[in-house]
Amino acid sequence: RGPTGIIGTNISDAKDTVSTILHDVKNGLIGTTTQKKEGREGLLHLLKQRNVQVVNWNDYQKIDKAEKDPKRLRVDDQPREKIVSVEEMRRIASSDD
C-alpha cells in the first residue's frame, strides 16, 4: 500500500503484517526458532521466491535523494516531499542514478 498518514493510521498495516507472518510460520512457509536460522540469505531467498522487490540501502538512498530534490518541494523551507507512490519508489530505486 505504501506510506500514508501518521503512525496511528498505519497500525492496521502492522496488524496485517503480523497476521501474515504468523500464518506463514503456522503453514511452514518460514522457519521458527527450533529450525536452523538462515539469516539474511534465507530471507532474501524467500523474498525472491515470492517475487518481492527488495529495496537495499543504496536503493533507499536514491529514494531519499529524490524526496529532497528541490524541484519536488512545494515551499523553500520544506525538507522533503514524500513519495507515496510505490511504483514511483520502485522506479527510482531501480534506476542507474
Side-chain angles (χ1 to χ4, degrees):
R1 176 174 79 85
T4 59
I6 59 172
I7 292 172
T9 60
N10 295 308
I11 288 176
S12 63
D13 292 336
K15 289 178 182 178
D16 288 344
T17 300
V18 170
S19 176
T20 300
I21 292 170
L22 292 174
H23 174 270
D24 288 353
V25 169
K26 180 180 177 183
N27 291 295
L29 299 173
I30 58 176
T32 63
T33 56
T34 59
Q35 296 172 322
K36 179 184 173 202
K37 295 180 182 180
E38 298 178 32
R40 178 181 174 82
E41 292 306 314
L43 174 61
L44 292 174
H45 178 72
L46 177 65
L47 294 172
K48 185 175 182 176
Q49 282 181 324
R50 295 182 179 186
N51 295 316
V52 174
Q53 181 181 352
V54 175
V55 174
N56 63 29
W57 180 249
N58 290 332
D59 297 338
Y60 164 75
Q61 288 180 314
K62 292 177 195 176
I63 295 168
D64 184 57
K65 181 180 176 184
E67 289 180 342
K68 293 176 180 177
D69 185 339
K71 291 180 260 177
R72 286 186 61 84
L73 306 180
R74 291 173 284 148
V75 294
D76 289 338
D77 61 347
Q78 181 180 357
R80 71 173 53 237
E81 178 68 26
K82 184 69 183 148
I83 298 168
V84 296
S85 163
V86 174
E87 288 305 315
E88 184 178 0
M89 283 187 250
R90 286 180 179 157
R91 181 185 55 74
I92 292 167
S94 63
S95 71
D96 292 330
D97 186 9

